[in-house]
Amino acid sequence: MYLRAISFLRRQGQDYVSSRDLADQLHLKSPQIRKDFSYFGAFGVKGIGYRVDTLIGRIREILKLSGTQKAALIGAGRLGKALALYPGFGLYGFEIVEIFDVSPKKIGKKIGNTKIQSIKHLGNLEKRGIRLAILAVPAEAAQETAERLVEGGVRGILNMAPCYITVPKRVRVQTIDIAMELGILPYYV
Amino acid sequence: MYLRAISFLRRQGQDYVSSRDLADQLHLKSPQIRKDFSYFGAFGVKGIGYRVDTLIGRIREILKLSGTQKAALIGAGRLGKALALYPGFGLYGFEIVEIFDVSPKKIGKKIGNTKIQSIKHLGNLEKRGIRLAILAVPAEAAQETAERLVEGGVRGILNMAPCYITVPKRVRVQTIDIAMELGILPYYV
DNA sequence: CAGTGCTTGTGTTCACATTCACAAGCACCA
DNA sequence: TGGTGCTTGTGAATGTGAACACAAGCACTG
Ligand SMILES: NC(=O)c1ccc[n+]([C@@H]2O[C@H](COP(=O)([O-])OP(=O)(O)OC[C@H]3O[C@@H](n4cnc5c(N)ncnc54)[C@H](O)[C@@H]3O)[C@@H](O)[C@H]2O)c1
Ligand SMILES: NC(=O)c1ccc[n+]([C@@H]2O[C@H](COP(=O)([O-])OP(=O)(O)OC[C@H]3O[C@@H](n4cnc5c(N)ncnc54)[C@H](O)[C@@H]3O)[C@@H](O)[C@H]2O)c1
């Protein structure tokens, strides 16, 4: 979240940012931000604030986002296609290098420059330097597909299907349930 | 989250569920679930658990999700199209009834049964019974578009653009930043 | 070079959410 | 009908994260 906000400031040409500025932009209180940063060492300048470049570098280091990371996309449906063409992953250094699907109609076709491969040819992703996967298959197939990913050596899964998936604890899953997020709104409205 | 899990159980024909079962499924502890439910009154049966139908009804009531709610979709790009055709909103009783875009190439075309209208014709959504909107426009246009939605009487916005938007405090915004969620994974991997 | 204004970093306080532990209560059975 | 086995609902304990308040420190100014 900080990375996104600070990257935005950099694009606008800002060199320094104070915890107060960030707090206003992110709708947080400023001590929150200073505490968060200070957990990872003191890299601000009293009286001035934090240097934007330094901050981006440190946060990328902390989150292990330095350099580029390869990711696989599973499921070339409507959402999968949107994700495959989404440039926003670049900010965090992600690149979708392989796409898989089960449907013969889709296998062999291309999304952008990337060919859709058969899920049967998933193989050992780890050996190809892929440790992350985005799961955009129907909920019914999510658990089964996740298990194949784990076999393939994947260490982190972004699950777009509206269900929980169970994996060995060395594997991290992050689930996004878009409809559920919308479901939160009426309560407050 | 509970609603999704319990709806899943109902589809499987289960009549009752205990806090322990739910806890296992959602990777939580069981007292958490009992506390959460008890804040809204006691509607379980000791020795048995919670009746699935009752639970779904109560949670829908609590979250103000009883009945159907109309929503507008702004931005008929790749993501917008996927969302417009996504059946998963139905679980929470949402229906996308209007779609808007700015591009002359898209206006007049249909996604499913819904015609894409010009954003100029947004008008008063409230009067048409629309209190929720899904924002799937480029980040640069998000703030400006959100303001038009607020003018149109929208009370809740699901923002898919990777940026914060500022709205009057009577309006609730829920932002989903998909790339950011993926960005969380490497830290743990 | 002392004074002013601003911002960081952090010990302490505070608030809240999670977890524990157990009494109360229902169902089933002998 | 009394006993057994579960499960709920909830006060109390615990843990965790947010907010506060302020000393320490940098920059700029006259
Ligand atoms: N469309 C949306 O806007 C949206 C929003 C939120 C969540 N989701 C979720 O994302 C997932 C995908 O949604 P979608 O709209 O793209 O669906 P879709 O039906 O358009 O696409 C699903 C794709 O997955 C492929 N597939 C099915 N089983 C597979 C398997 N075992 N291995 C590999 N590929 C397989 C299908 O061939 C298809 O191409 C679903 O779980 C859906 O609930 C979608
Ligand atoms: N594609 C994805 O998978 C993905 C993932 C995460 C987030 N997002 C975000 O969702 C948003 C949409 O992404 P997309 O991939 O669909 O982009 P897109 O470029 O395919 O579509 C954007 C659409 O918005 C329309 N638009 C532009 N300005 C508008 C305005 N002022 N009013 C109404 N409509 C307007 C455009 O005409 C276009 O049809 C972006 O903010 C993007 O960052 C997309």
Side-chain angles (χ1 to χ4, degrees):
Chain A
M1 193 174 73
Y2 291 146
L3 189 54
R4 179 182 63 198
I6 299 159
S7 298
F8 178 76
L9 293 176
R10 178 156 72 172
R11 275 199 302 280
Q12 298 201 323
Q14 198 168 324
D15 283 336
Y16 285 89
V17 64
S18 70
S19 58
R20 177 190 286 255
D21 288 349
L22 265 179
D24 290 347
Q25 199 179 321
L26 293 169
H27 306 121
L28 300 169
K29 307 279 168 123
S30 64
Q32 176 72 66
I33 288 166
R34 294 198 297 277
K35 257 263 154 66
D36 285 347
F37 291 169
S38 77
Y39 284 125
F40 297 96
F43 39 90
V45 185
K46 297 183 186 187
I48 300 294
Y50 300 87
R51 187 163 168 75
V52 168
D53 285 335
T54 318
L55 209 44
I56 292 179
R58 282 296 288 127
I59 295 176
R60 292 184 82 111
E61 269 172 46
I62 291 162
L63 298 178
K64 298 189 189 142
L65 290 174
S66 310
T68 306
Q69 306 223 20
K70 295 179 184 170
L73 170 69
I74 325 295
R78 283 184 285 262
L79 182 61
K81 195 172 175 183
L83 293 171
L85 297 169
Y86 179 50
F89 292 118
L91 174 62
Y92 302 88
F94 296 120
E95 197 189 345
I96 295 175
V97 292
E98 300 201 28
I99 304 177
F100 297 92
D101 203 297
V102 78
S103 158
K105 284 186 185 167
K106 303 198 172 174
I107 295 167
K109 296 228 173 78
K110 277 190 163 191
I111 302 182
N113 294 320
T114 313
K115 209 173 229 173
I116 302 173
Q117 306 176 59
S118 166
I119 183 84
K120 285 181 193 153
H121 300 138
L122 193 73
N124 191 322
L125 294 163
E126 196 179 12
K127 281 198 181 143
R128 285 172 268 149
I130 301 171
R131 302 196 309 162
L132 299 172
I134 303 171
L135 198 49
V137 302
E140 304 78 53
Q143 178 62 41
E144 168 202 353
T145 310
E147 284 163 19
R148 297 185 78 150
L149 288 171
V150 172
E151 276 174 44
V154 157
R155 302 294 305 281
I157 297 174
L158 181 66
N159 174 36
M160 302 301 299
C163 61
Y164 277 91
I165 55 183
T166 305
V167 293
K169 62 175 176 302
R170 69 172 182 282
V171 180
R172 180 89 186 187
V173 177
Q174 196 76 21
T175 297
I176 301 181
D177 186 341
I178 298 179
M180 188 185 77
E181 302 286 330
L182 185 59
I184 292 169
L185 291 173
Y187 180 77
Y188 297 98
V189 163
Chain B
M1 196 175 70
Y2 290 146
L3 189 54
R4 180 183 61 198
I6 298 159
S7 298
F8 177 75
L9 293 176
R10 177 157 70 173
R11 274 199 303 281
Q12 297 201 323
Q14 198 168 324
D15 284 336
Y16 285 89
V17 64
S18 70
S19 57
R20 176 191 286 256
D21 289 349
L22 265 180
D24 291 346
Q25 199 179 321
L26 294 169
H27 306 120
L28 300 169
K29 307 277 169 126
S30 64
Q32 176 73 70
I33 288 166
R34 294 198 296 277
K35 256 259 153 68
D36 284 349
F37 291 170
S38 77
Y39 284 125
F40 297 96
F43 37 90
V45 185
K46 297 183 185 188
I48 299 295
Y50 300 87
R51 187 163 168 77
V52 168
D53 285 335
T54 318
L55 209 44
I56 292 179
R58 283 295 289 126
I59 295 175
R60 293 184 80 112
E61 268 172 47
I62 292 162
L63 299 177
K64 299 190 188 140
L65 291 173
S66 310
T68 305
Q69 307 223 20
K70 294 178 184 170
L73 170 69
I74 325 296
R78 283 185 286 262
L79 182 60
K81 195 172 174 184
L83 292 171
L85 297 169
Y86 179 49
F89 292 119
L91 174 64
Y92 303 87
F94 296 120
E95 197 188 346
I96 295 175
V97 293
E98 300 200 27
I99 305 177
F100 297 92
D101 202 296
V102 79
S103 158
K105 283 187 187 167
K106 303 197 172 174
I107 294 165
K109 297 228 172 76
K110 277 190 163 190
I111 301 182
N113 293 321
T114 313
K115 210 175 228 171
I116 301 173
Q117 305 176 58
S118 166
I119 185 83
K120 287 180 192 154
H121 300 139
L122 193 73
N124 191 322
L125 294 163
E126 196 179 11
K127 279 196 182 144
R128 286 173 267 148
I130 300 171
R131 302 196 308 160
L132 300 172
I134 303 172
L135 197 50
V137 302
E140 303 80 53
Q143 178 62 40
E144 168 201 353
T145 311
E147 283 163 21
R148 297 185 79 150
L149 288 170
V150 172
E151 276 175 44
V154 157
R155 301 294 305 283
I157 297 175
L158 181 65
N159 173 36
M160 301 301 298
C163 61
Y164 276 90
I165 56 183
T166 305
V167 293
K169 63 174 176 300
R170 69 173 183 283
V171 180
R172 180 89 186 185
V173 177
Q174 197 75 21
T175 297
I176 302 181
D177 185 341
I178 297 179
M180 189 185 77
E181 301 287 330
L182 185 58
I184 292 169
L185 290 174
Y187 179 77
Y188 297 97
V189 164

